[in-house]
Amino acid sequence: ASTLTNLGVVRFRQGRHADAVEPLQEATQADPASVDAWAHLAMAQAELGKLESALQAVERALALAPQHGQGWGLKGNLLKDLGRPQDA
């Protein structure tokens, strides 16, 4: 799963957000406890405008690692973009 996560992260950092989603989804299936895979999947989906999917992924990351500061920031931004700032 770490190889898939790394591939997705590299593609994300290259700005290839659509290409990052598949390996990150596979990584979350191979290792559902991978906080990095869930967090990066959320970021890639957010960049693609898939806000509900991104919110679900970041919530999975936060359930695994409640101290994940970047995840809380992303969740707040997603909720704001979804018109639900009161839930942030």
mmCIF file of all heavy atoms in Angstrom, residues 56-88:
data_model
loop_
_atom_site.group_PDB
_atom_site.id
_atom_site.type_symbol
_atom_site.label_atom_id
_atom_site.label_comp_id
_atom_site.label_asym_id
_atom_site.label_seq_id
_atom_site.Cartn_x
_atom_site.Cartn_y
_atom_site.Cartn_z
ATOM 1 N N GLN A 56 -15.533 12.776 2.783
ATOM 2 C CA GLN A 56 -15.578 11.409 3.314
ATOM 3 C C GLN A 56 -14.165 10.881 3.561
ATOM 4 O O GLN A 56 -13.901 10.256 4.590
ATOM 5 C CB GLN A 56 -16.325 10.485 2.358
ATOM 6 C CG GLN A 56 -17.811 10.767 2.299
ATOM 7 C CD GLN A 56 -18.523 9.946 1.237
ATOM 8 O OE1 GLN A 56 -17.923 9.123 0.563
ATOM 9 N NE2 GLN A 56 -19.812 10.185 1.082
ATOM 10 N N ALA A 57 -13.261 11.140 2.628
ATOM 11 C CA ALA A 57 -11.884 10.654 2.771
ATOM 12 C C ALA A 57 -11.170 11.340 3.928
ATOM 13 O O ALA A 57 -10.472 10.688 4.715
ATOM 14 C CB ALA A 57 -11.112 10.848 1.464
ATOM 15 N N VAL A 58 -11.339 12.655 4.064
ATOM 16 C CA VAL A 58 -10.660 13.353 5.159
ATOM 17 C C VAL A 58 -11.248 12.940 6.502
ATOM 18 O O VAL A 58 -10.532 12.851 7.504
ATOM 19 C CB VAL A 58 -10.642 14.884 4.957
ATOM 20 C CG1 VAL A 58 -11.962 15.532 5.319
ATOM 21 C CG2 VAL A 58 -9.513 15.507 5.767
ATOM 22 N N GLU A 59 -12.532 12.653 6.543
ATOM 23 C CA GLU A 59 -13.129 12.172 7.786
ATOM 24 C C GLU A 59 -12.564 10.811 8.178
ATOM 25 O O GLU A 59 -12.375 10.538 9.365
ATOM 26 C CB GLU A 59 -14.650 12.160 7.681
ATOM 27 C CG GLU A 59 -15.220 13.571 7.733
ATOM 28 C CD GLU A 59 -16.727 13.649 7.589
ATOM 29 O OE1 GLU A 59 -17.345 12.694 7.052
ATOM 30 O OE2 GLU A 59 -17.289 14.677 8.011
ATOM 31 N N ARG A 60 -12.279 9.958 7.191
ATOM 32 C CA ARG A 60 -11.624 8.669 7.480
ATOM 33 C C ARG A 60 -10.230 8.900 8.048
ATOM 34 O O ARG A 60 -9.826 8.269 9.023
ATOM 35 C CB ARG A 60 -11.536 7.801 6.217
ATOM 36 C CG ARG A 60 -12.843 7.238 5.729
ATOM 37 C CD ARG A 60 -13.444 6.157 6.628
ATOM 38 N NE ARG A 60 -12.622 4.995 6.810
ATOM 39 C CZ ARG A 60 -12.687 3.880 6.078
ATOM 40 N NH1 ARG A 60 -13.565 3.801 5.090
ATOM 41 N NH2 ARG A 60 -11.899 2.866 6.321
ATOM 42 N N ALA A 61 -9.492 9.837 7.447
ATOM 43 C CA ALA A 61 -8.146 10.145 7.946
ATOM 44 C C ALA A 61 -8.210 10.662 9.377
ATOM 45 O O ALA A 61 -7.407 10.252 10.226
ATOM 46 C CB ALA A 61 -7.462 11.179 7.032
ATOM 47 N N LEU A 62 -9.167 11.527 9.656
ATOM 48 C CA LEU A 62 -9.282 12.106 10.994
ATOM 49 C C LEU A 62 -9.755 11.083 12.030
ATOM 50 O O LEU A 62 -9.382 11.165 13.192
ATOM 51 C CB LEU A 62 -10.207 13.320 10.971
ATOM 52 C CG LEU A 62 -9.639 14.538 10.247
ATOM 53 C CD1 LEU A 62 -10.713 15.587 10.039
ATOM 54 C CD2 LEU A 62 -8.441 15.090 11.001
ATOM 55 N N ALA A 63 -10.559 10.126 11.602
ATOM 56 C CA ALA A 63 -10.979 9.065 12.515
ATOM 57 C C ALA A 63 -9.774 8.221 12.935
ATOM 58 O O ALA A 63 -9.698 7.759 14.077
ATOM 59 C CB ALA A 63 -12.044 8.186 11.852
ATOM 60 N N LEU A 64 -8.828 8.071 12.019
ATOM 61 C CA LEU A 64 -7.616 7.289 12.297
ATOM 62 C C LEU A 64 -6.580 8.108 13.068
ATOM 63 O O LEU A 64 -5.813 7.551 13.856
ATOM 64 C CB LEU A 64 -7.006 6.791 10.985
ATOM 65 C CG LEU A 64 -7.842 5.780 10.213
ATOM 66 C CD1 LEU A 64 -7.318 5.645 8.790
ATOM 67 C CD2 LEU A 64 -7.850 4.438 10.929
ATOM 68 N N ALA A 65 -6.544 9.406 12.803
ATOM 69 C CA ALA A 65 -5.524 10.270 13.416
ATOM 70 C C ALA A 65 -6.159 11.613 13.779
ATOM 71 O O ALA A 65 -6.032 12.589 13.037
ATOM 72 C CB ALA A 65 -4.357 10.470 12.460
ATOM 73 N N PRO A 66 -6.855 11.671 14.918
ATOM 74 C CA PRO A 66 -7.552 12.906 15.302
ATOM 75 C C PRO A 66 -6.638 14.118 15.459
ATOM 76 O O PRO A 66 -7.117 15.247 15.417
ATOM 77 C CB PRO A 66 -8.200 12.549 16.641
ATOM 78 C CG PRO A 66 -8.229 11.065 16.699
ATOM 79 C CD PRO A 66 -7.088 10.586 15.857
ATOM 80 N N GLN A 67 -5.344 13.914 15.614
ATOM 81 C CA GLN A 67 -4.405 15.016 15.778
ATOM 82 C C GLN A 67 -3.885 15.550 14.439
ATOM 83 O O GLN A 67 -3.033 16.421 14.427
ATOM 84 C CB GLN A 67 -3.212 14.554 16.648
ATOM 85 C CG GLN A 67 -2.208 13.656 15.963
ATOM 86 C CD GLN A 67 -2.655 12.207 15.721
ATOM 87 O OE1 GLN A 67 -3.759 11.804 16.044
ATOM 88 N NE2 GLN A 67 -1.781 11.408 15.143
ATOM 89 N N HIS A 68 -4.391 15.074 13.329
ATOM 90 C CA HIS A 68 -3.919 15.441 11.986
ATOM 91 C C HIS A 68 -4.374 16.865 11.652
ATOM 92 O O HIS A 68 -5.464 17.086 11.131
ATOM 93 C CB HIS A 68 -4.467 14.440 10.966
ATOM 94 C CG HIS A 68 -3.774 14.459 9.655
ATOM 95 N ND1 HIS A 68 -4.075 15.351 8.660
ATOM 96 C CD2 HIS A 68 -2.781 13.680 9.168
ATOM 97 C CE1 HIS A 68 -3.314 15.118 7.611
ATOM 98 N NE2 HIS A 68 -2.512 14.108 7.899
ATOM 99 N N GLY A 69 -3.538 17.839 11.971
ATOM 100 C CA GLY A 69 -3.881 19.249 11.804
ATOM 101 C C GLY A 69 -4.261 19.622 10.386
ATOM 102 O O GLY A 69 -5.222 20.357 10.161
ATOM 103 N N GLN A 70 -3.504 19.143 9.420
ATOM 104 C CA GLN A 70 -3.794 19.463 8.020
ATOM 105 C C GLN A 70 -5.165 18.907 7.627
ATOM 106 O O GLN A 70 -5.902 19.533 6.876
ATOM 107 C CB GLN A 70 -2.702 18.885 7.110
ATOM 108 C CG GLN A 70 -2.835 19.292 5.661
ATOM 109 C CD GLN A 70 -1.710 18.753 4.798
ATOM 110 O OE1 GLN A 70 -0.955 17.881 5.202
ATOM 111 N NE2 GLN A 70 -1.591 19.263 3.598
ATOM 112 N N GLY A 71 -5.500 17.741 8.171
ATOM 113 C CA GLY A 71 -6.810 17.150 7.889
ATOM 114 C C GLY A 71 -7.950 18.009 8.407
ATOM 115 O O GLY A 71 -8.956 18.204 7.722
ATOM 116 N N TRP A 72 -7.792 18.560 9.624
ATOM 117 C CA TRP A 72 -8.831 19.435 10.176
ATOM 118 C C TRP A 72 -8.979 20.698 9.332
ATOM 119 O O TRP A 72 -10.093 21.176 9.113
ATOM 120 C CB TRP A 72 -8.518 19.787 11.630
ATOM 121 C CG TRP A 72 -8.773 18.641 12.548
ATOM 122 C CD1 TRP A 72 -7.846 17.899 13.207
ATOM 123 C CD2 TRP A 72 -10.041 18.088 12.907
ATOM 124 N NE1 TRP A 72 -8.450 16.909 13.946
ATOM 125 C CE2 TRP A 72 -9.800 17.011 13.786
ATOM 126 C CE3 TRP A 72 -11.355 18.394 12.570
ATOM 127 C CZ2 TRP A 72 -10.829 16.240 14.328
ATOM 128 C CZ3 TRP A 72 -12.379 17.631 13.109
ATOM 129 C CH2 TRP A 72 -12.117 16.572 13.975
ATOM 130 N N GLY A 73 -7.853 21.239 8.863
ATOM 131 C CA GLY A 73 -7.919 22.417 8.005
ATOM 132 C C GLY A 73 -8.650 22.128 6.711
ATOM 133 O O GLY A 73 -9.498 22.915 6.267
ATOM 134 N N LEU A 74 -8.330 20.971 6.100
ATOM 135 C CA LEU A 74 -8.999 20.591 4.858
ATOM 136 C C LEU A 74 -10.486 20.371 5.098
ATOM 137 O O LEU A 74 -11.322 20.825 4.312
ATOM 138 C CB LEU A 74 -8.358 19.327 4.274
ATOM 139 C CG LEU A 74 -8.994 18.775 2.998
ATOM 140 C CD1 LEU A 74 -8.994 19.815 1.883
ATOM 141 C CD2 LEU A 74 -8.278 17.503 2.551
ATOM 142 N N LYS A 75 -10.832 19.712 6.198
ATOM 143 C CA LYS A 75 -12.249 19.472 6.487
ATOM 144 C C LYS A 75 -12.994 20.802 6.629
ATOM 145 O O LYS A 75 -14.088 20.963 6.081
ATOM 146 C CB LYS A 75 -12.411 18.639 7.755
ATOM 147 C CG LYS A 75 -13.859 18.347 8.071
ATOM 148 C CD LYS A 75 -14.030 17.463 9.283
ATOM 149 C CE LYS A 75 -15.518 17.234 9.562
ATOM 150 N NZ LYS A 75 -15.750 16.341 10.689
ATOM 151 N N GLY A 76 -12.407 21.745 7.342
ATOM 152 C CA GLY A 76 -13.048 23.049 7.488
ATOM 153 C C GLY A 76 -13.261 23.735 6.157
ATOM 154 O O GLY A 76 -14.336 24.294 5.899
ATOM 155 N N ASN A 77 -12.253 23.703 5.299
ATOM 156 C CA ASN A 77 -12.373 24.323 3.974
ATOM 157 C C ASN A 77 -13.429 23.623 3.129
ATOM 158 O O ASN A 77 -14.192 24.279 2.413
ATOM 159 C CB ASN A 77 -11.031 24.326 3.249
ATOM 160 C CG ASN A 77 -10.059 25.320 3.840
ATOM 161 O OD1 ASN A 77 -10.455 26.335 4.407
ATOM 162 N ND2 ASN A 77 -8.775 25.031 3.717
ATOM 163 N N LEU A 78 -13.470 22.295 3.204
ATOM 164 C CA LEU A 78 -14.467 21.550 2.431
ATOM 165 C C LEU A 78 -15.878 21.888 2.898
ATOM 166 O O LEU A 78 -16.773 22.103 2.079
ATOM 167 C CB LEU A 78 -14.212 20.043 2.545
ATOM 168 C CG LEU A 78 -12.994 19.522 1.799
ATOM 169 C CD1 LEU A 78 -12.671 18.098 2.238
ATOM 170 C CD2 LEU A 78 -13.237 19.583 0.297
ATOM 171 N N LEU A 79 -16.073 21.927 4.191
ATOM 172 C CA LEU A 79 -17.393 22.257 4.719
ATOM 173 C C LEU A 79 -17.802 23.668 4.323
ATOM 174 O O LEU A 79 -18.969 23.913 3.964
ATOM 175 C CB LEU A 79 -17.422 22.094 6.231
ATOM 176 C CG LEU A 79 -17.385 20.648 6.716
ATOM 177 C CD1 LEU A 79 -17.141 20.579 8.213
ATOM 178 C CD2 LEU A 79 -18.675 19.912 6.354
ATOM 179 N N LYS A 80 -16.862 24.595 4.331
ATOM 180 C CA LYS A 80 -17.151 25.971 3.891
ATOM 181 C C LYS A 80 -17.551 25.973 2.417
ATOM 182 O O LYS A 80 -18.550 26.573 2.030
ATOM 183 C CB LYS A 80 -15.923 26.873 4.120
ATOM 184 C CG LYS A 80 -16.127 28.311 3.673
ATOM 185 C CD LYS A 80 -14.875 29.133 3.859
ATOM 186 C CE LYS A 80 -13.784 28.607 3.001
ATOM 187 N NZ LYS A 80 -13.290 29.312 1.902
ATOM 188 N N ASP A 81 -16.765 25.236 1.598
ATOM 189 C CA ASP A 81 -17.056 25.191 0.159
ATOM 190 C C ASP A 81 -18.371 24.489 -0.149
ATOM 191 O O ASP A 81 -19.008 24.769 -1.166
ATOM 192 C CB ASP A 81 -15.912 24.494 -0.590
ATOM 193 C CG ASP A 81 -14.627 25.309 -0.580
ATOM 194 O OD1 ASP A 81 -14.685 26.523 -0.250
ATOM 195 O OD2 ASP A 81 -13.565 24.731 -0.888
ATOM 196 N N LEU A 82 -18.775 23.583 0.744
ATOM 197 C CA LEU A 82 -20.054 22.886 0.567
ATOM 198 C C LEU A 82 -21.230 23.683 1.137
ATOM 199 O O LEU A 82 -22.362 23.233 1.114
ATOM 200 C CB LEU A 82 -19.989 21.510 1.253
ATOM 201 C CG LEU A 82 -19.145 20.451 0.536
ATOM 202 C CD1 LEU A 82 -18.844 19.285 1.457
ATOM 203 C CD2 LEU A 82 -19.885 19.987 -0.724
ATOM 204 N N GLY A 83 -20.936 24.888 1.652
ATOM 205 C CA GLY A 83 -21.984 25.728 2.197
ATOM 206 C C GLY A 83 -22.444 25.283 3.574
ATOM 207 O O GLY A 83 -23.570 25.561 3.974
ATOM 208 N N ARG A 84 -21.545 24.602 4.309
ATOM 209 C CA ARG A 84 -21.882 24.110 5.641
ATOM 210 C C ARG A 84 -20.859 24.573 6.672
ATOM 211 O O ARG A 84 -20.336 23.771 7.444
ATOM 212 C CB ARG A 84 -21.934 22.572 5.606
ATOM 213 C CG ARG A 84 -23.016 22.055 4.700
ATOM 214 C CD ARG A 84 -22.983 20.572 4.425
ATOM 215 N NE ARG A 84 -22.484 19.725 5.479
ATOM 216 C CZ ARG A 84 -21.994 18.497 5.257
ATOM 217 N NH1 ARG A 84 -21.931 18.022 4.041
ATOM 218 N NH2 ARG A 84 -21.556 17.770 6.256
ATOM 219 N N PRO A 85 -20.552 25.875 6.724
ATOM 220 C CA PRO A 85 -19.520 26.339 7.658
ATOM 221 C C PRO A 85 -19.873 26.082 9.117
ATOM 222 O O PRO A 85 -19.002 25.942 9.947
ATOM 223 C CB PRO A 85 -19.414 27.830 7.367
ATOM 224 C CG PRO A 85 -20.742 28.195 6.773
ATOM 225 C CD PRO A 85 -21.181 26.976 6.003
ATOM 226 N N GLN A 86 -21.163 25.981 9.406
ATOM 227 C CA GLN A 86 -21.577 25.720 10.787
ATOM 228 C C GLN A 86 -21.143 24.338 11.266
ATOM 229 O O GLN A 86 -21.066 24.094 12.470
ATOM 230 C CB GLN A 86 -23.097 25.882 10.933
ATOM 231 C CG GLN A 86 -23.929 24.785 10.275
ATOM 232 C CD GLN A 86 -24.121 24.921 8.765
ATOM 233 O OE1 GLN A 86 -23.590 25.813 8.133
ATOM 234 N NE2 GLN A 86 -24.902 24.011 8.197
ATOM 235 N N ASP A 87 -20.843 23.435 10.339
ATOM 236 C CA ASP A 87 -20.406 22.088 10.701
ATOM 237 C C ASP A 87 -18.899 21.996 10.903
ATOM 238 O O ASP A 87 -18.391 20.952 11.313
ATOM 239 C CB ASP A 87 -20.827 21.079 9.621
ATOM 240 C CG ASP A 87 -22.331 20.942 9.534
ATOM 241 O OD1 ASP A 87 -23.023 21.232 10.537
ATOM 242 O OD2 ASP A 87 -22.828 20.549 8.471
ATOM 243 N N ALA A 88 -18.188 23.072 10.575
ATOM 244 C CA ALA A 88 -16.729 23.044 10.668
ATOM 245 C C ALA A 88 -16.259 23.064 12.122
ATOM 246 O O ALA A 88 -16.920 23.525 13.001
ATOM 247 C CB ALA A 88 -16.128 24.229 9.918
#
